[in-house]
Amino acid sequence: MVEKEVVYVVSDSVGETAEFVVKAVATQFNGGSVDIRRNSYVEDAEDIEDVIVLASQNNKSVIAYTIVVSHLKEYLDRRAAEEGILAVDLLNPLMNAFEQKFHKEPNHQPGLMRKLDEEYFRKIEAIEFAVKYDDGRDPRGIIRSDIVLIGVSRTSKTPLSMYLAHKRYKVANVPLVPEVTPPDELFKVSRNKCIGLIISPDKLNEIRKERLRALGLTAQANYASFERILEELDYAEKIMKRVGCPVINVSNKAVEETASLILDLLKSGRRIT
């Protein structure tokens, strides 16, 4: 019976890093058909011994590990050598390089990369906030938000909300439509945290036509007509003037560029068009 090629991934944390590296290497050999068996959260010599026993029974096995706890690493290296098993440390060469070049000592604590700290929870909270208060679903979010985005349809309000949420800002966005009266909350918040998004009629026409095509609808629909677009933009401009908020023209800007301008505005309190 032909022995199967096996890589035992061993980690004192989740083991995702080691498994990812092994898969990347395996793709260079027969399309990555190697059998990867992950052993996560090893805590003592007994956990490592279980892997050693399995690997010693197969001449076509390798151990790839990411262990930062010194005594566990030393035990694995020693036992693998005794049993004639090839064991590869995926972290130590780079850790040694950091020590030598940066003159710093590692913490030797597992799981630091996945530590759920305050910043992580703030990001998750901001993302959930952006989803909940997207597209004017609940005007109460306007008062609670860090940033309020207003503009006509297809001015990147939702993508901007999500991008800023990943930077831990709570963002609500409100569509401006002539037939719909804006919520009262929009005129009660500080004008400095409200941002108006405008766009050129030609660019908006192009974007809306493409949107209609994606939905399988005719590009001649009122949604994309110049008359309708000009009506909406005129209405939006009046609302933005009433709110007194800074305004950004997003016509030829990427989401990242617009987001950067928004954050600059919040910090400086300036107006921009």
Side-chain angles (χ1 to χ4, degrees), residues 162-226:
M162 296 307 301
Y163 184 90
L164 291 166
H166 277 83
K167 293 185 177 294
R168 298 176 296 281
Y169 289 94
K170 294 180 179 178
V171 185
N173 73 76
V174 180
L176 299 180
V177 184
E179 293 79 14
V180 180
T181 302
D184 293 336
E185 288 83 354
L186 183 60
F187 306 102
K188 296 177 181 179
V189 297
S190 169
R191 66 182 63 183
N192 293 326
K193 79 171 186 178
C194 187
I195 306 292
L197 304 176
I198 62 171
I199 189 171
S200 71
D202 287 338
K203 186 66 176 179
L204 185 55
N205 174 257
E206 177 186 332
I207 293 172
R208 288 190 173 183
K209 280 184 176 179
E210 186 59 37
R211 177 59 175 167
L212 289 172
R213 279 193 288 268
L215 295 173
L217 302 173
T218 173
Q220 304 304 316
N222 186 49
Y223 177 69
S225 71
F226 264 105

